[in-house]
């Protein structure tokens, strides 16, 4: 489960403990990093904020999958700023980064992510199509919608295409692929997710 609420507000320790205790075996949370880190300070001088959030996230213990850093479109391209932010987390291998501007899609960026074991988030949106970049043992796909943000209904053919991408990532040695639909304004996400899950299940059984 990807929790977006942590982007907008802080939560008491007990909330994280409750999330952990209620999660079934094998369940994992992905927490979106607070917007003060990514959209207000643009990763600059955010060590204190990162460490505070990282401590809260650690209360999930084995139920913590990843922490998503979604960089704002206006974030200046500064590879050392990104490095410093990632290293402020206790374990950079628990981080995934979603870049909202193509200026970040460079060899230098991918080299840094691979060096630190940080997961590259592959978004599918009106700004760009889904890719298969991999920088860690994890895959991460966020499906925002193709022709329209957040309220796009993926066709069966498009979902089959996404399933093929996931299969190729698995074949390349990826341990876990996180897939989240962010096209929920018209309620399309649950239907699309169920259809994709069925495709992936059939592929795994064939």
């Amino acid at each position: 489960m990807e929790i977006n609420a942590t982007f907008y507000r802080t939560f008491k320790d007990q909330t994280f403990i409750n999330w952990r205790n209620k999660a079934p075996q094998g369940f994992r949370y992905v927490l979106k990093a607070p917007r003060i880190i990514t959209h207000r300070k643009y990763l600059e001088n955010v060590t204190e904020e990162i460490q505070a959030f990282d401590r809260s996230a650690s209360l999930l213990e084995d139920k913590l999958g990843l922490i998503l850093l979604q960089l704002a479109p206006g974030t200046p391209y500064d590879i050392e700023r990104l490095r410093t932010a990632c290293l402020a987390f206790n374990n950079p291998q628990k981080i995934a980064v979603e870049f909202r501007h193509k200026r970040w899609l460079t060899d230098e960026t991918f080299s840094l992510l691979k060096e630190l074991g940080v997961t590259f988030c592959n978004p599918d949106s009106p700004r760009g199509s889904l890719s298969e970049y991999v920088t860690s043992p994890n895959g991460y796909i966020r499906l925002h919608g193709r022709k329209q943000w957040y309220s796009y209904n993926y066709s069966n053919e498009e979902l089959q295409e996404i399933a093929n991408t996931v299969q190729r990532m698995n074949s390349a040695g990826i341990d876990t692929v996180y897939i989240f639909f962010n096209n929920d304004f018209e309620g399309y996400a649950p239907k699309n997710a169920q259809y994709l899950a069925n495709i992936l299940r059939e592929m795994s059984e064939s």
Side-chain angles (χ1 to χ4, degrees):
M1 173 184 285
E2 187 182 273
I3 296 183
N4 202 44
T6 49
F7 178 74
Y8 295 102
R9 54 168 292 200
T10 59
F11 291 87
K12 295 180 180 179
D13 286 355
Q14 190 59 47
T15 298
F16 292 92
I17 294 170
N18 290 343
W19 288 342
R20 181 190 71 206
N21 292 339
K22 291 178 180 179
Q25 184 68 27
F27 189 92
R28 297 292 181 271
Y29 293 100
V30 173
L31 306 181
K32 193 172 177 182
R35 57 184 170 180
I36 188 172
I37 296 171
T38 56
H39 286 60
R40 292 181 178 169
K41 290 193 171 184
Y42 301 104
L43 300 185
E44 188 171 26
N45 299 322
V46 291
T47 297
E48 183 177 338
E49 290 85 355
I50 285 175
Q51 291 177 347
F53 182 68
D54 200 27
R55 187 200 66 79
S56 297
S58 70
L59 296 173
L60 293 175
E61 298 179 355
D62 64 326
K63 298 301 189 293
L64 175 64
L66 296 171
I67 294 173
L68 176 66
L69 278 175
Q70 183 195 85
L71 270 60
T75 306
Y77 180 77
D78 184 338
I79 202 71
E80 290 308 313
R81 185 186 303 191
L82 177 61
R83 180 192 297 275
T84 298
C86 290
L87 290 175
F89 289 91
N90 183 56
N91 182 6
Q93 295 180 17
K94 282 287 187 180
I95 307 305
V97 182
E98 179 181 5
F99 301 100
R100 284 293 183 94
H101 196 285
K102 62 182 180 181
R103 71 169 70 90
W104 283 95
L105 305 182
T106 67
D107 290 342
E108 187 179 39
T109 296
F110 292 121
S111 293
L112 174 65
L113 299 185
K114 289 178 181 177
E115 174 191 337
L116 300 181
V118 172
T119 297
F120 173 74
C121 175
N122 288 279
D124 190 59
S125 76
R127 283 194 186 133
S129 58
L130 189 64
S131 72
E132 297 178 28
Y133 289 124
V134 171
T135 58
S136 81
N138 296 308
Y140 199 123
I141 293 174
R142 293 191 93 211
L143 303 166
H144 301 291
R146 294 197 166 170
K147 297 177 182 177
Q148 185 176 357
W149 286 92
Y150 313 129
S151 60
Y152 179 78
N153 186 21
Y154 283 90
S155 69
N156 293 348
E157 291 76 15
E158 289 169 332
L159 293 169
Q160 179 65 60
E161 174 193 328
I162 293 166
N164 293 340
T165 296
V166 174
Q167 186 178 52
R168 288 192 294 271
M169 293 172 81
N170 282 329
S171 298
I174 297 302
D175 294 336
T176 302
V177 180
Y178 293 84
I179 308 169
F180 296 104
F181 284 87
N182 194 26
N183 59 330
D184 52 2
F185 276 11
E186 300 293 332
Y188 294 129
K191 179 181 70 172
N192 289 168
Q194 186 60 60
Y195 191 87
L196 179 61
N198 290 339
I199 297 175
L200 293 171
R201 188 178 301 111
E202 289 174 3
M203 291 175 115
S204 67
E205 293 173 352
S206 62

